[in-house]
Amino acid sequence: SALRSSSSPTLSSHTYISINLSNMKASRASLAILMAIASSASAFAPTKFNTPSSTLLRATPATSSNFLTPELAQSCIDVAGGTPLYAYSLDSLAKSADACLAFPNAYGLTVRYAMKACPNGTILKYFLSRGICIDASSGYEVRRAMDMGVPAEKISLSSQELPTDFEELVKLGVKINCCSISQLERFGKAFANTSQKVGVRVNPGVGSGGFSSSTTGFSKTNVGGPSSSFGIWHEFVTDGTVPAIVEKYGLEVERIHTHIGSGSDPAIWQQTAKLSLSFCAIWDTVTSLNLGGGYKVGRNPDEKTTDLIEIGSPVADAFKDFAKEHGRELKMEIEPGTYLVANAGALVTKIQDKVSTKSSSSDDGHIFLKMDAGMTDVLRPSLYGAIHPITILPGSGKSEDIGTDVESVVVVGHCCESGDLMTPKPGEPEALEERPLRTAELGDIAVMDGSGAYCAGMSTKNYNSFPESPEVLVTADGEVHLIRKRQDPKQIYENECDVPDGVF
């Protein structure tokens, strides 16, 4: 059962305000939600997650990456002024945008790019040109998007921290989804009795993401269920607590928002999407349901990418059923991040060292390839035990120099940090695993694919004082354009201040 236990925290007095119409709607919706959970309980049973197996990762190494040949990789290096760098394929971005814009819907669709996945301004501008709006996760992301030319009215904010300037952002046209009871209170006090429109993010009671098979336990990529702090717990929506706050401040709920995790199980996402419609029944002012994102993307040979048509069609039908029952045609919103950019990006590095701990008296040793990049550029392996395909290309940048020899190696980064591991065991960031790669020489190019999402935007840049890496955009005809310069090392510490003389 997803019902709150008796040990739940005591709520403030406003929780128990007696309301009439809203409370009745909440009660009916609560019953509907409980029935939905009961009837589809088996749908929330975790399915078997595909994780890269050692067997498939031991296939013959490719002679090119997802979109980079040795020659094109060298062109990227030349434009960026060396390695490491991030390269993005415009053709891949276009194809993923096409897929998201074709997501099945009944009465209208808004696609919002989860800009935290890769917030480079050129990428934001490209998606804006395709009619894709923005999902921001902080007030700073909102300002960044607006500085890149994104109109405020095309930005939606769902944040763990309501920014101090949220009133100004709302007046500019930004749509805000309140993600906690206290956020809703603050929002209500700021716009009391003005019929201000607001969104409510709901924690639907289940989550799904990444390597975790649990729908209720903690996972770094799971943002739903009782072990997640994201969103307002669903019972506070259905027991009258949230409707009471809405009524007290005279707000107008126009949007319900749910999101259960990154890399979520398609079946669980689909069932949660249908369940989320029940929350829309609480307020007859709701005009849209935002279903979040988190669609699985296959970075490796045995990983499947979510079929958006397959998961979206039944959900579109559920919107039609809601319209028949409630007389309202709700618009759909989705917030893909990984799906739009993950496989459109690659980290391009050089092998700058190669060491061995192998011994004739033991089988415990390894051959280590050291990149001139690492967790300062791609943190996902160290953080999640995420697996990225790695391709070794000749340092000459010529296809004819591709070798045929293969060796099993462990790939690590350049940081003075034992956790800077690029080839962990799947889902186990504390465990290293050898990977069969083309035999590398110092100076060879190493391309780490699947690095378009949560890499440049989620790195530990400046650790060990390494500067932020540049970014380039690769067009379909092979043109390479610089879209971020390499950081000047002095920029790393330019905001530091000296203390007055005599302090030490």
Side-chain angles (χ1 to χ4, degrees), residues 201 206-210 221-224 259-265 269 292-295:
R201 176 169 177 172
V206 294
S208 175
T221 53
N222 182 333
V223 293
H259 177 59
I260 61 172
S262 180
S264 55
D265 183 304
W269 182 91
Y295 315 116

Side-chain angles (χ1 to χ4, degrees), residues 88 117-118 299 337-339 341-343 345 380 388 450-456:
Y88 304 101
C118 188
R299 289 178 169 88
T338 296
Y339 194 95
V341 296
N343 283 333
R380 298 181 71 253
H388 286 257
S451 299
Y454 302 99
C455 292

